[in-house]
Amino acid sequence: MEHRQHVIHIWLMLLPALLLLLAFTHWPVASTLFDSFHSTPKGARASAWVGLDNYRVMLDDPVFRKALANNLWFAGVTIPLSIGLALVMALWVNERMAGRALLRMAYFTPTVLPMIAVANIWLFFYTPQYGLLEQISGAMGLPAQNWLGNPTTALGAVTLVAVWKEAGFFMIFYLAALQGMNPSLREAAAIEGASRWTFFRRVQWPLLMPTTVFVLVNAFINGFRMVDHLFVMTRGGPDNASTLLLYYLYEVGFSFWDTAYASAITVVLVAILAGVALLQFFVLDRRVHYQ
């Protein structure tokens, strides 16, 4: 009887969190999946069952294919660059040096800035004729370049903004992991005559793997959800050259008001992120030693 009361008490304690999880996570996912198999209600016409029609339209949609390719390229560049840069910065500011606190603050500052503010800062850099990059290239005698108006450079320009924003955030996790390491490891490596590179490759990097897995999953999620700067900088242009999946989802759902097709795109996006989570749980996480 006492054990049963204890179990009931546990479930009652969990009930508020479970209700919030169901209301704001599982129910929206199930509702979106249901809507993806129906047509968009318009006026007096209710939604009707259309099966896989929305997904067939998606396969034939050139804008969706362009957005997916852009997003894969965006994630494929931002993830390794932001993580690599974060690791380098963390290793640097972990050393004893003059002005270390100021350097840490400078690296972390982009993280605390809203993405809209970051986009406006970089919009000043990229502005044709008057931007900082144009001033520097003009002083060097280089030709003028419309970084955000050129289809070949627009996606790279917004990708650079995302890397600048993300690297400082990931640096904090690496720095915390480095400071949590036993100082005697460095002393033992110095006694053995190990170089700095050998110490990093054989000691620090294996111990940083749990942090790397955590950062990698977050970086991948951010690679598919970071679109704030597109609203300020390019709005997906020119000619959808910088359109990402989440931005296209917003346009379909709130500009074109095709909620059924937007639901189908959402299902694909959630499936991609769920696949990454499963990969992290069943593959990467089991290859990492936490002790």
Side-chain angles (χ1 to χ4, degrees), residues 46 188 216 245:
L216 182 62
L245 270 182

Side-chain angles (χ1 to χ4, degrees), residues 159-181:
T159 300
L160 180 60
V161 176
V163 172
W164 183 78
K165 170 75 172 174
E166 290 285 279
F169 176 66
F170 297 146
M171 180 205 70
I172 295 299
F173 296 103
Y174 276 122
L175 182 60
L178 288 170
Q179 292 184 340
M181 291 182 184

